[in-house]
Amino acid sequence: MSRVNELLQKIEELEGELEQELRAKREGLEYTIKRRKISFTREVKARQSEFLKKWLDYVYDSGPLIILTIPLIWGALIPCVIMDLVVSVYQYICFPVYGIPFARRRDYVVIDRQHLGYLNWLEKMNCMYCGYFNGVIAYVREVAARTEQYWCPVRHAHPVKSVHGHYRTFFEYGDAQGYREGLEPAREELARKLREELLGKKK
């Protein structure tokens, strides 16, 4: 395993530790999730409502310049929805042909902040928007990453600011023999790994 692989492996392990830590922190915040439904106790709801800010105050405190940017922010929703639809149609048509398991959209597009009692209706709308937009970006990246791993799993010669989780398994830049001999086995390993992850999530 090269030094690059070792570093990428450490990043993956740290991400796992971070998820465990966040899960432990969630357990102390007095809410439960059953079948993707979030529930708070009455006491917690009452405490949250104490921090509710009126939406008119929220708008006033934002300032005129921020208010003027709102059409630009919400205007970006249209191409985001189109991208969401196009990528979903793409994977449902092409992934069966490639033998790649689908990326489950609901694992990436998570909209749940509207259940928080300390957010007014405008803040809830903003949070729903951000959850959707960033979720779609994460979903699209995963679909693109699976596609890249199938068609061109070769690392870049130049440093990349941020890499997806599949990049660790890519072939070294310039490794012609490794690429030609390992491409088909790598595709089979991709399909096997993703199927195992999907089965693990269903349990």
Side-chain angles (χ1 to χ4, degrees):
M1 183 181 288
S2 70
R3 179 61 178 161
V4 173
N5 280 348
E6 290 178 8
L7 292 172
L8 289 169
Q9 180 68 38
K10 286 181 180 178
I11 291 172
E12 195 173 287
E13 290 171 358
L14 287 171
E15 287 175 344
E17 290 180 23
L18 176 62
E19 177 56 34
Q20 289 179 355
E21 192 65 28
L22 290 172
R23 190 178 295 115
K25 191 173 181 66
R26 286 196 294 266
E27 290 173 358
L29 290 177
E30 301 174 296
Y31 67 85
T32 57
I33 302 176
K34 290 182 179 179
R35 296 183 181 177
R36 302 180 67 86
K37 185 178 181 180
I38 301 168
S39 299
F40 290 98
T41 63
R42 288 184 179 179
E43 293 77 11
V44 172
K45 287 180 179 179
R47 286 202 303 270
Q48 287 185 358
S49 65
E50 293 175 5
F51 295 92
L52 180 64
K53 187 174 186 177
K54 293 181 179 179
W55 73 271
L56 283 174
D57 293 335
Y58 175 74
V59 172
Y60 180 81
D61 292 341
S62 296
L65 290 178
I66 289 178
I67 293 172
L68 289 173
T69 66
I70 291 175
L72 288 174
I73 294 173
W74 283 91
L77 181 61
I78 297 171
C80 183
V81 170
I82 294 171
M83 181 169 61
D84 188 3
L85 291 171
V86 169
V87 169
S88 294
V89 170
Y90 156 73
Q91 80 153 341
Y92 283 114
I93 291 175
C94 297
F95 275 16
V97 177
Y98 306 150
I100 303 174
F102 298 130
R104 293 199 311 178
R105 184 178 173 279
R106 71 175 187 177
D107 291 339
Y108 303 92
V109 182
V110 179
I111 302 173
D112 57 10
R113 296 170 185 151
Q114 68 274 15
H115 302 297
L116 296 170
Y118 52 87
L119 299 179
N120 60 53
W121 70 267
L122 188 54
E123 288 175 306
K124 289 179 180 181
M125 287 289 293
N126 288 340
C127 284
M128 290 171 69
Y129 176 92
C130 289
Y132 174 72
F133 201 108
N134 283 283
V136 168
I137 296 300
Y139 166 63
V140 168
R141 188 182 198 193
E142 177 60 23
V143 172
R146 295 184 185 193
T147 303
E148 184 180 27
Q149 186 170 1
Y150 182 87
W151 285 109
C152 44
V154 178
R155 292 177 184 163
H156 295 283
H158 296 286
V160 180
K161 179 73 173 178
S162 174
V163 296
H164 52 71
H166 300 277
Y167 194 77
R168 183 172 60 83
T169 63
F170 284 16
F171 299 101
E172 296 290 352
Y173 188 87
D175 182 9
Q177 183 178 356
Y179 175 77
R180 285 301 173 202
E181 293 178 355
L183 182 59
E184 284 303 322
R187 287 175 172 175
E188 293 172 4
E189 176 64 16
L190 167 65
R192 184 194 64 78
K193 181 181 176 183
L194 293 175
R195 278 195 296 268
E196 287 181 354
E197 287 180 2
L198 187 59
L199 289 173
K201 288 177 180 177
K202 287 181 177 179
K203 289 181 180 177

